[in-house]
Amino acid sequence: MATETRGRMTAMPVISAKRMQDRIDAIVEAATAVFGAKGYEAASIAEIARAAEISDGLIYRYFSNKRDLLYRVLEAFYERVVAALEKEAANGATFEDRLHALIRRHLGNFVADRELCRLFLSEVRVASDYKGSAIQNLNRRYVSVLTALIEAGIGQGEVKADASPRLVRNVIFGAIEHIAWPYVNGDGKLDVDETAKAVTALIYGGIGIPAKT
Amino acid sequence: MATETRGRMTAMPVISAKRMQDRIDAIVEAATAVFGAKGYEAASIAEIARAAEISDGLIYRYFSNKRDLLYRVLEAFYERVVAALEKEAANGATFEDRLHALIRRHLGNFVADRELCRLFLSEVRVASDYKGSAIQNLNRRYVSVLTALIEAGIGQGEVKADASPRLVRNVIFGAIEHIAWPYVNGDGKLDVDETAKAVTALIYGGIGIPAKT
Amino acid sequence: MATETRGRMTAMPVISAKRMQDRIDAIVEAATAVFGAKGYEAASIAEIARAAEISDGLIYRYFSNKRDLLYRVLEAFYERVVAALEKEAANGATFEDRLHALIRRHLGNFVADRELCRLFLSEVRVASDYKGSAIQNLNRRYVSVLTALIEAGIGQGEVKADASPRLVRNVIFGAIEHIAWPYVNGDGKLDVDETAKAVTALIYGGIGIPAKT
Amino acid sequence: MATETRGRMTAMPVISAKRMQDRIDAIVEAATAVFGAKGYEAASIAEIARAAEISDGLIYRYFSNKRDLLYRVLEAFYERVVAALEKEAANGATFEDRLHALIRRHLGNFVADRELCRLFLSEVRVASDYKGSAIQNLNRRYVSVLTALIEAGIGQGEVKADASPRLVRNVIFGAIEHIAWPYVNGDGKLDVDETAKAVTALIYGGIGIPAKT
DNA sequence: CATGAATGAGTGTTCATTCAT
DNA sequence: AATGAATGAACACTCATTCAT
């Protein structure tokens, strides 16, 4: 009887991998909207399910819990911006050009995805489960683009040899985040071009006029 | 004391102003400890009341709600650090010395009051009720110390004339916060002296080596 | 300032101990009714609170959780029947009379409190948290009344010297429970007098006619 | 095989009766293991399906619901022990021997199938759907073996003529169950031989020493 | 003034069962 | 026949806040 198989039947999957991915995408999209609009706590699974036009329970087939869903929303976002930043890193003739491009791109992300940035800054990076998460890894990849640029700059003699790439990177990201936060939090504006230029100039050139000896 | 009455003349304080202030201080002290140890959400009014050795309900005579109590805890803290920073601002011979002193002091605050800093960064500044709060005003006073220093530096010809005091201030505070955060969040160490020196040097001197013309 | 006290204020309790006990009694009474009528799982805290005319949350001031409430319901019941059985143990001239009285009383309990007995047999004794519970201790006290009677009977020469009090006690309680169960479970009747007589006679006299040698 | 068709003639079994029976057996076997190990509530259909290496949904082609599956598990078990007990009933020279043999066998079942016995005692016999079930019928057949033995004993003049077979049977099963329960429930040991002897002696001979006249 | 009993809204999660494929 | 994706009902528990005493 050739048609008899042993063990688990390997019939055609009832749902195609594509449809499954569509489901995940739909849920992530709905969750992105709801989390973005109301924040993590105020958002309810029921509302997300309604937005995705599925039942509450189905969310738990694809995501292990509400927190997991939040993380997946931000992972999807982070993957996108990491890829874009890595691509950006190649552009620019001089070190200063490249630095400016990265700073500009980073600032631009806050404008393009204000709500996801707020979600990340106010509900995830600050949380106890951030450490060791996939998001933290993505964040590391993101910031390492800048570290690499600085190291290259040192190697090329375009950056002071005693500059600490890690410190410079922290100063840049910290500065930008601080500047962008009021805007991200819904208060104030953010002029990407001008800010990028000003920050680049400051970091590159410092502010001091050495006392004449 | 003749002003002490019984019955319902509630307009007249039945306990002395001093005792009332002692109460408030005791509650704030207890709340500081509990909020610091467990975070805002995880802390309960009942636990704070127990720590202050009073009843739950009495807290509501002095504070309008849990959130208000949190803010008062941080206001007390902020008042302390603002005063200290304003005093610090006077020290130092050159601009660079003064800048270094402020940066050092700011970093030192993260170490001295790690838990309150975490509370502020992760539960207050990020929240929707931060805008317009007394805390925000204190924060403005705090950061304006640095703005004033930079303006003075420009006036004295020690700082580039085209430097934007607001931008520089944001870069400095953002940078420091970003650098200190892992430590504040309970992960990693923070070498105040070294970090202060490095940040000061970077901000003051920039990182670039201008291309020779 | 003589009116100032230190530490926790010892004002008159806002609620008297009696009123507190009344509350507990009311909740236990309501829970007894609801658990008895619907069983443990099917009963909801909301329904019990409604029956006791209080809010859901108040139940949790007096009982740590739903399970605890169930146990307290049955403890109250068990305390009652243990006391009654212990009192009963004194009655009766001969051993056989006393044995009969205890058996009768035990059977009577099933009739008088059918629903609580069912609750105990079907939802508690069978559960994993029964071992080590207060209920198990009460049960031990309950059954030890019979053990003591048998031991006394042996001492008085009214019971075979080689009878194991523990075994006899188990046989009697097991037998009665088995006989009463259909009734307790809502199926069939239970003639207490007749059953008590028959069980007593069987245990006391056995069923065998020794083969003549 | 000509009867095998493709398409929608669903009235005709597409798989052979034998294979169908194998399926049922596999599911029952898997369910026996899972229910035995975790209890009814804690066991999930998904886990049983996984253990049987089929899909969740297929279980519902052979069993109408989870409860039905539980009953079929216990029916299979009961059929086995009923047959064994009926066979046992023939052994033994005297009434006392035969009684002893049945008691011994019954106790032995608790040891041999502790988990299924616990399942039956704690999740089925106690439930509202037990009455009228196939299990109850099997139970009746099981216990009637003992009733028949006693009736025969009366007929042979080996048992008191006024003994009620039903009562005696209930006393014996109730007693044994009560004695075995702690063991079945995972607490304590059970010495089958000794217990069987002691119970037999007690039932057969009673405990009383008639007062001298 | 001080107490602490009382309130009650609010929601993530599981899983037996169904049914489109 | 077999799959497994999809459904959706159901509920204990917490705790900030109020207010009778």
Side-chain angles (χ1 to χ4, degrees), chain A residues 64-115:
Chain A
S64 49
N65 51 41
K66 189 185 176 185
R67 196 79 193 158
D68 178 41
L69 181 51
L70 172 67
Y71 273 84
R72 299 264 213 109
V73 162
L74 287 170
E75 280 164 31
F77 163 61
Y78 239 116
E79 271 155 18
R80 189 154 44 84
V81 295
V82 166
L85 195 74
E86 286 172 342
K87 205 170 141 196
E88 185 80 50
N91 302 334
T94 66
F95 168 79
E96 202 176 350
D97 289 346
R98 282 198 273 262
L99 177 64
H100 177 253
L102 288 192
I103 287 174
R104 205 170 171 287
R105 162 70 63 168
H106 185 51
L107 275 161
N109 285 338
F110 287 110
V111 174
D113 290 285
R114 212 188 55 184
E115 282 170 349

Short mmCIF file of all heavy atoms in Angstrom, two decimals, chain A residues 64-115:
data_model
loop_
_atom_site.label_atom_id
_atom_site.label_comp_id
_atom_site.label_asym_id
_atom_site.label_seq_id
_atom_site.Cartn_x
_atom_site.Cartn_y
_atom_site.Cartn_z
N SER A 64 4.05 35.39 21.54
CA SER A 64 3.81 34.68 22.79
C SER A 64 3.09 35.53 23.83
O SER A 64 2.40 34.99 24.69
CB SER A 64 5.12 34.11 23.34
OG SER A 64 6.11 35.10 23.35
N ASN A 65 3.23 36.81 23.76
CA ASN A 65 2.46 37.66 24.67
C ASN A 65 2.53 39.11 24.20
O ASN A 65 3.16 39.42 23.20
CB ASN A 65 2.96 37.52 26.11
CG ASN A 65 4.45 37.72 26.20
OD1 ASN A 65 5.00 38.59 25.54
ND2 ASN A 65 5.11 36.89 26.98
N LYS A 66 1.87 39.96 24.94
CA LYS A 66 1.76 41.35 24.53
C LYS A 66 3.14 42.00 24.41
O LYS A 66 3.42 42.73 23.46
CB LYS A 66 0.92 42.10 25.56
CG LYS A 66 0.54 43.51 25.16
CD LYS A 66 -0.18 44.22 26.30
CE LYS A 66 -0.50 45.67 25.96
NZ LYS A 66 -1.09 46.39 27.11
N ARG A 67 3.98 41.70 25.37
CA ARG A 67 5.32 42.27 25.37
C ARG A 67 6.10 41.84 24.12
O ARG A 67 6.79 42.63 23.49
CB ARG A 67 6.06 41.80 26.63
CG ARG A 67 7.30 42.60 26.95
CD ARG A 67 6.97 43.91 27.62
NE ARG A 67 8.12 44.82 27.65
CZ ARG A 67 8.02 46.12 27.78
NH1 ARG A 67 6.83 46.69 27.88
NH2 ARG A 67 9.08 46.87 27.82
N ASP A 68 5.97 40.57 23.81
CA ASP A 68 6.64 40.04 22.63
C ASP A 68 6.18 40.79 21.38
O ASP A 68 7.00 41.11 20.50
CB ASP A 68 6.31 38.55 22.49
CG ASP A 68 6.93 37.92 21.26
OD1 ASP A 68 8.10 38.25 20.96
OD2 ASP A 68 6.27 37.11 20.59
N LEU A 69 4.91 41.06 21.33
CA LEU A 69 4.37 41.79 20.17
C LEU A 69 5.01 43.18 20.07
O LEU A 69 5.41 43.62 18.99
CB LEU A 69 2.85 41.89 20.30
CG LEU A 69 2.09 42.59 19.18
CD1 LEU A 69 2.48 42.04 17.82
CD2 LEU A 69 0.59 42.44 19.38
N LEU A 70 5.12 43.84 21.19
CA LEU A 70 5.78 45.16 21.20
C LEU A 70 7.19 45.06 20.64
O LEU A 70 7.61 45.86 19.79
CB LEU A 70 5.82 45.70 22.63
CG LEU A 70 6.66 46.98 22.83
CD1 LEU A 70 6.00 48.16 22.11
CD2 LEU A 70 6.85 47.29 24.31
N TYR A 71 7.90 44.07 21.12
CA TYR A 71 9.28 43.92 20.66
C TYR A 71 9.36 43.63 19.16
O TYR A 71 10.22 44.15 18.45
CB TYR A 71 9.99 42.83 21.47
CG TYR A 71 10.60 43.40 22.72
CD1 TYR A 71 9.84 43.57 23.88
CD2 TYR A 71 11.92 43.82 22.74
CE1 TYR A 71 10.39 44.12 25.03
CE2 TYR A 71 12.48 44.37 23.88
CZ TYR A 71 11.71 44.53 25.02
OH TYR A 71 12.25 45.08 26.15
N ARG A 72 8.45 42.82 18.70
CA ARG A 72 8.48 42.50 17.27
C ARG A 72 8.14 43.71 16.43
O ARG A 72 8.67 43.89 15.32
CB ARG A 72 7.50 41.38 16.97
CG ARG A 72 7.84 40.12 17.72
CD ARG A 72 8.64 39.15 16.90
NE ARG A 72 8.26 37.81 17.32
CZ ARG A 72 7.55 36.96 16.60
NH1 ARG A 72 7.21 37.29 15.37
NH2 ARG A 72 7.20 35.80 17.09
N VAL A 73 7.27 44.55 16.93
CA VAL A 73 6.96 45.79 16.23
C VAL A 73 8.22 46.63 16.08
O VAL A 73 8.54 47.12 15.00
CB VAL A 73 5.87 46.58 17.01
CG1 VAL A 73 5.84 48.04 16.57
CG2 VAL A 73 4.50 45.94 16.83
N LEU A 74 8.95 46.73 17.16
CA LEU A 74 10.15 47.57 17.12
C LEU A 74 11.30 46.90 16.39
O LEU A 74 12.13 47.57 15.78
CB LEU A 74 10.54 47.96 18.54
CG LEU A 74 9.59 49.01 19.12
CD1 LEU A 74 9.83 49.21 20.60
CD2 LEU A 74 9.75 50.34 18.37
N GLU A 75 11.33 45.59 16.43
CA GLU A 75 12.36 44.90 15.65
C GLU A 75 12.17 45.16 14.16
O GLU A 75 13.13 45.43 13.44
CB GLU A 75 12.32 43.39 15.91
CG GLU A 75 13.00 42.99 17.20
CD GLU A 75 12.62 41.58 17.64
OE1 GLU A 75 12.34 40.74 16.75
OE2 GLU A 75 12.57 41.33 18.85
N ALA A 76 10.93 45.06 13.73
CA ALA A 76 10.65 45.30 12.32
C ALA A 76 11.11 46.70 11.94
O ALA A 76 11.73 46.92 10.88
CB ALA A 76 9.15 45.14 12.05
N PHE A 77 10.81 47.64 12.81
CA PHE A 77 11.21 49.02 12.56
C PHE A 77 12.74 49.15 12.55
O PHE A 77 13.34 49.73 11.64
CB PHE A 77 10.61 49.91 13.64
CG PHE A 77 11.26 51.25 13.76
CD1 PHE A 77 11.27 52.15 12.70
CD2 PHE A 77 11.87 51.63 14.96
CE1 PHE A 77 11.87 53.39 12.83
CE2 PHE A 77 12.48 52.86 15.08
CZ PHE A 77 12.48 53.75 14.01
N TYR A 78 13.36 48.55 13.53
CA TYR A 78 14.81 48.68 13.66
C TYR A 78 15.55 48.04 12.49
O TYR A 78 16.56 48.54 12.00
CB TYR A 78 15.28 48.05 14.97
CG TYR A 78 16.00 49.03 15.87
CD1 TYR A 78 15.48 49.39 17.09
CD2 TYR A 78 17.20 49.61 15.46
CE1 TYR A 78 16.14 50.30 17.91
CE2 TYR A 78 17.86 50.52 16.27
CZ TYR A 78 17.32 50.87 17.49
OH TYR A 78 17.98 51.78 18.29
N GLU A 79 15.02 46.90 12.05
CA GLU A 79 15.68 46.26 10.92
C GLU A 79 15.69 47.18 9.70
O GLU A 79 16.68 47.26 8.96
CB GLU A 79 14.97 44.93 10.59
CG GLU A 79 15.57 43.78 11.37
CD GLU A 79 14.59 42.63 11.57
OE1 GLU A 79 13.59 42.57 10.83
OE2 GLU A 79 14.84 41.80 12.47
N ARG A 80 14.59 47.85 9.54
CA ARG A 80 14.48 48.78 8.43
C ARG A 80 15.53 49.90 8.54
O ARG A 80 16.28 50.17 7.62
CB ARG A 80 13.05 49.36 8.44
CG ARG A 80 12.68 50.17 7.27
CD ARG A 80 11.16 50.18 7.02
NE ARG A 80 10.32 50.35 8.20
CZ ARG A 80 10.00 51.55 8.74
NH1 ARG A 80 10.47 52.64 8.21
NH2 ARG A 80 9.21 51.61 9.79
N VAL A 81 15.58 50.52 9.71
CA VAL A 81 16.47 51.67 9.83
C VAL A 81 17.95 51.27 9.89
O VAL A 81 18.82 52.02 9.42
CB VAL A 81 16.11 52.57 11.04
CG1 VAL A 81 14.73 53.19 10.83
CG2 VAL A 81 16.18 51.82 12.35
N VAL A 82 18.22 50.11 10.43
CA VAL A 82 19.60 49.64 10.43
C VAL A 82 20.09 49.46 9.00
O VAL A 82 21.17 49.94 8.62
CB VAL A 82 19.75 48.32 11.21
CG1 VAL A 82 21.10 47.68 10.91
CG2 VAL A 82 19.62 48.57 12.70
N ALA A 83 19.28 48.82 8.19
CA ALA A 83 19.66 48.59 6.80
C ALA A 83 19.91 49.91 6.09
O ALA A 83 20.91 50.09 5.37
CB ALA A 83 18.56 47.79 6.09
N ALA A 84 19.01 50.86 6.31
CA ALA A 84 19.15 52.15 5.64
C ALA A 84 20.42 52.86 6.10
O ALA A 84 21.14 53.46 5.29
CB ALA A 84 17.91 53.02 5.94
N LEU A 85 20.72 52.78 7.39
CA LEU A 85 21.90 53.48 7.90
C LEU A 85 23.17 52.84 7.36
O LEU A 85 24.13 53.53 7.00
CB LEU A 85 21.92 53.45 9.42
CG LEU A 85 22.90 54.45 10.05
CD1 LEU A 85 22.34 55.87 9.93
CD2 LEU A 85 23.21 54.12 11.50
N GLU A 86 23.16 51.52 7.30
CA GLU A 86 24.35 50.83 6.80
C GLU A 86 24.62 51.21 5.34
O GLU A 86 25.76 51.35 4.91
CB GLU A 86 24.20 49.32 6.97
CG GLU A 86 24.36 48.90 8.43
CD GLU A 86 24.03 47.43 8.70
OE1 GLU A 86 23.35 46.80 7.85
OE2 GLU A 86 24.44 46.92 9.76
N LYS A 87 23.52 51.36 4.62
CA LYS A 87 23.67 51.75 3.22
C LYS A 87 24.20 53.19 3.12
O LYS A 87 25.11 53.49 2.35
CB LYS A 87 22.31 51.66 2.54
CG LYS A 87 22.37 51.45 1.05
CD LYS A 87 20.98 51.13 0.50
CE LYS A 87 20.77 51.79 -0.83
NZ LYS A 87 19.33 51.81 -1.19
N GLU A 88 23.67 54.03 3.96
CA GLU A 88 24.04 55.44 3.99
C GLU A 88 25.53 55.63 4.24
O GLU A 88 26.17 56.55 3.72
CB GLU A 88 23.26 56.13 5.11
CG GLU A 88 23.44 57.63 5.19
CD GLU A 88 22.57 58.33 4.14
OE1 GLU A 88 21.37 58.03 4.09
OE2 GLU A 88 23.11 59.15 3.37
N ALA A 89 26.06 54.71 5.05
CA ALA A 89 27.44 54.87 5.52
C ALA A 89 28.46 54.98 4.39
O ALA A 89 29.56 55.49 4.56
CB ALA A 89 27.82 53.72 6.45
N ALA A 90 28.06 54.47 3.24
CA ALA A 90 29.01 54.45 2.11
C ALA A 90 29.12 55.81 1.42
O ALA A 90 30.12 56.09 0.76
CB ALA A 90 28.57 53.39 1.11
N ASN A 91 28.11 56.64 1.61
CA ASN A 91 28.07 57.90 0.85
C ASN A 91 28.96 58.98 1.45
O ASN A 91 29.11 59.09 2.66
CB ASN A 91 26.64 58.43 0.79
CG ASN A 91 25.70 57.42 0.16
OD1 ASN A 91 26.13 56.58 -0.62
ND2 ASN A 91 24.43 57.46 0.54
N GLY A 92 29.47 59.83 0.60
CA GLY A 92 30.23 60.98 1.08
C GLY A 92 31.70 60.88 0.75
O GLY A 92 32.32 59.83 0.91
N ALA A 93 32.24 61.98 0.33
CA ALA A 93 33.64 61.98 -0.08
C ALA A 93 34.58 62.02 1.11
O ALA A 93 35.43 61.16 1.29
CB ALA A 93 33.90 63.18 -1.00
N THR A 94 34.41 63.03 1.93
CA THR A 94 35.32 63.19 3.07
C THR A 94 34.68 62.59 4.33
O THR A 94 33.50 62.27 4.36
CB THR A 94 35.57 64.67 3.35
OG1 THR A 94 34.33 65.27 3.77
CG2 THR A 94 36.07 65.37 2.09
N PHE A 95 35.49 62.48 5.37
CA PHE A 95 34.97 62.02 6.64
C PHE A 95 33.84 62.92 7.12
O PHE A 95 32.79 62.46 7.58
CB PHE A 95 36.08 62.00 7.70
CG PHE A 95 35.56 61.82 9.09
CD1 PHE A 95 35.19 60.55 9.54
CD2 PHE A 95 35.41 62.90 9.95
CE1 PHE A 95 34.67 60.38 10.81
CE2 PHE A 95 34.90 62.74 11.22
CZ PHE A 95 34.53 61.47 11.65
N GLU A 96 34.07 64.22 7.02
CA GLU A 96 33.06 65.15 7.50
C GLU A 96 31.75 64.98 6.73
O GLU A 96 30.67 65.04 7.32
CB GLU A 96 33.58 66.59 7.37
CG GLU A 96 32.85 67.54 8.30
CD GLU A 96 33.44 68.95 8.25
OE1 GLU A 96 34.53 69.13 7.64
OE2 GLU A 96 32.83 69.87 8.81
N ASP A 97 31.85 64.74 5.46
CA ASP A 97 30.63 64.50 4.66
C ASP A 97 29.89 63.27 5.17
O ASP A 97 28.68 63.24 5.33
CB ASP A 97 30.99 64.27 3.18
CG ASP A 97 31.44 65.55 2.51
OD1 ASP A 97 31.23 66.63 3.11
OD2 ASP A 97 32.00 65.46 1.41
N ARG A 98 30.68 62.23 5.38
CA ARG A 98 30.05 60.97 5.81
C ARG A 98 29.44 61.12 7.20
O ARG A 98 28.34 60.64 7.48
CB ARG A 98 31.09 59.85 5.80
CG ARG A 98 31.37 59.33 4.40
CD ARG A 98 32.05 57.98 4.45
NE ARG A 98 33.50 58.16 4.54
CZ ARG A 98 34.32 58.08 3.50
NH1 ARG A 98 33.85 57.85 2.29
NH2 ARG A 98 35.61 58.25 3.66
N LEU A 99 30.15 61.80 8.08
CA LEU A 99 29.62 62.03 9.41
C LEU A 99 28.31 62.80 9.33
O LEU A 99 27.30 62.46 9.97
CB LEU A 99 30.64 62.84 10.24
CG LEU A 99 30.19 63.21 11.65
CD1 LEU A 99 29.97 61.96 12.50
CD2 LEU A 99 31.22 64.13 12.32
N HIS A 100 28.35 63.82 8.51
CA HIS A 100 27.15 64.63 8.34
C HIS A 100 25.98 63.80 7.80
O HIS A 100 24.84 63.91 8.27
CB HIS A 100 27.44 65.80 7.40
CG HIS A 100 26.25 66.65 7.12
ND1 HIS A 100 25.59 66.63 5.92
CD2 HIS A 100 25.58 67.51 7.91
CE1 HIS A 100 24.57 67.46 5.97
NE2 HIS A 100 24.53 68.01 7.17
N ALA A 101 26.29 62.93 6.88
CA ALA A 101 25.23 62.10 6.29
C ALA A 101 24.60 61.19 7.34
O ALA A 101 23.37 61.05 7.40
CB ALA A 101 25.80 61.26 5.14
N LEU A 102 25.42 60.59 8.17
CA LEU A 102 24.87 59.70 9.19
C LEU A 102 24.03 60.46 10.21
O LEU A 102 22.96 60.01 10.61
CB LEU A 102 26.00 58.94 9.91
CG LEU A 102 26.71 57.85 9.12
CD1 LEU A 102 27.57 57.01 10.06
CD2 LEU A 102 25.71 56.95 8.40
N ILE A 103 24.55 61.60 10.61
CA ILE A 103 23.80 62.39 11.59
C ILE A 103 22.47 62.83 10.99
O ILE A 103 21.42 62.77 11.65
CB ILE A 103 24.65 63.62 12.01
CG1 ILE A 103 25.80 63.14 12.92
CG2 ILE A 103 23.80 64.65 12.72
CD1 ILE A 103 26.80 64.23 13.28
N ARG A 104 22.53 63.21 9.76
CA ARG A 104 21.31 63.65 9.08
C ARG A 104 20.29 62.49 8.98
O ARG A 104 19.11 62.66 9.24
CB ARG A 104 21.69 64.12 7.68
CG ARG A 104 20.74 65.10 7.09
CD ARG A 104 21.35 65.69 5.81
NE ARG A 104 20.36 66.48 5.11
CZ ARG A 104 19.34 65.94 4.46
NH1 ARG A 104 19.22 64.64 4.39
NH2 ARG A 104 18.44 66.72 3.88
N ARG A 105 20.81 61.37 8.61
CA ARG A 105 19.93 60.20 8.49
C ARG A 105 19.31 59.85 9.85
O ARG A 105 18.13 59.57 9.96
CB ARG A 105 20.75 59.02 7.95
CG ARG A 105 20.16 57.65 8.15
CD ARG A 105 18.93 57.42 7.31
NE ARG A 105 19.27 57.47 5.89
CZ ARG A 105 18.44 57.09 4.93
NH1 ARG A 105 17.22 56.64 5.23
NH2 ARG A 105 18.81 57.16 3.67
N HIS A 106 20.14 59.89 10.88
CA HIS A 106 19.64 59.53 12.20
C HIS A 106 18.54 60.51 12.63
O HIS A 106 17.47 60.09 13.10
CB HIS A 106 20.80 59.55 13.20
CG HIS A 106 20.43 59.09 14.58
ND1 HIS A 106 19.78 57.90 14.82
CD2 HIS A 106 20.62 59.65 15.80
CE1 HIS A 106 19.57 57.75 16.14
NE2 HIS A 106 20.08 58.81 16.74
N LEU A 107 18.80 61.77 12.44
CA LEU A 107 17.77 62.77 12.75
C LEU A 107 16.53 62.54 11.91
O LEU A 107 15.40 62.66 12.40
CB LEU A 107 18.32 64.18 12.50
CG LEU A 107 19.10 64.79 13.66
CD1 LEU A 107 19.96 65.94 13.16
CD2 LEU A 107 18.13 65.29 14.74
N GLY A 108 16.76 62.20 10.66
CA GLY A 108 15.62 61.97 9.77
C GLY A 108 14.73 60.83 10.25
O GLY A 108 13.51 60.87 10.10
N ASN A 109 15.34 59.83 10.86
CA ASN A 109 14.53 58.72 11.37
C ASN A 109 13.54 59.18 12.44
O ASN A 109 12.41 58.68 12.50
CB ASN A 109 15.44 57.64 11.96
CG ASN A 109 16.14 56.83 10.89
OD1 ASN A 109 15.67 56.77 9.74
ND2 ASN A 109 17.27 56.23 11.23
N PHE A 110 13.97 60.10 13.27
CA PHE A 110 13.05 60.59 14.30
C PHE A 110 11.84 61.27 13.68
O PHE A 110 10.73 61.19 14.20
CB PHE A 110 13.78 61.58 15.22
CG PHE A 110 14.76 60.91 16.16
CD1 PHE A 110 16.12 61.08 16.01
CD2 PHE A 110 14.29 60.12 17.20
CE1 PHE A 110 17.01 60.47 16.87
CE2 PHE A 110 15.19 59.52 18.07
CZ PHE A 110 16.55 59.68 17.91
N VAL A 111 12.09 61.95 12.57
CA VAL A 111 10.97 62.63 11.92
C VAL A 111 10.08 61.64 11.17
O VAL A 111 8.86 61.71 11.23
CB VAL A 111 11.51 63.70 10.94
CG1 VAL A 111 10.38 64.31 10.14
CG2 VAL A 111 12.27 64.76 11.71
N ALA A 112 10.73 60.70 10.47
CA ALA A 112 9.96 59.76 9.66
C ALA A 112 9.14 58.80 10.52
O ALA A 112 8.05 58.37 10.13
CB ALA A 112 10.90 58.98 8.74
N ASP A 113 9.66 58.42 11.66
CA ASP A 113 8.97 57.45 12.51
C ASP A 113 8.89 57.93 13.95
O ASP A 113 9.31 57.25 14.88
CB ASP A 113 9.69 56.09 12.44
CG ASP A 113 9.51 55.42 11.10
OD1 ASP A 113 8.40 54.90 10.87
OD2 ASP A 113 10.45 55.47 10.29
N ARG A 114 8.32 59.07 14.09
CA ARG A 114 8.28 59.70 15.40
C ARG A 114 7.68 58.80 16.47
O ARG A 114 8.20 58.65 17.56
CB ARG A 114 7.47 61.00 15.31
CG ARG A 114 7.97 62.05 16.26
CD ARG A 114 7.02 63.21 16.28
NE ARG A 114 5.67 62.71 16.58
CZ ARG A 114 4.58 63.45 16.59
NH1 ARG A 114 4.65 64.72 16.27
NH2 ARG A 114 3.43 62.92 16.89
N GLU A 115 6.56 58.19 16.12
CA GLU A 115 5.87 57.42 17.15
C GLU A 115 6.61 56.16 17.55
O GLU A 115 6.64 55.80 18.72
CB GLU A 115 4.45 57.09 16.68
CG GLU A 115 3.57 58.31 16.84
CD GLU A 115 2.23 58.15 16.17
OE1 GLU A 115 2.07 57.17 15.40
OE2 GLU A 115 1.35 58.99 16.42
#
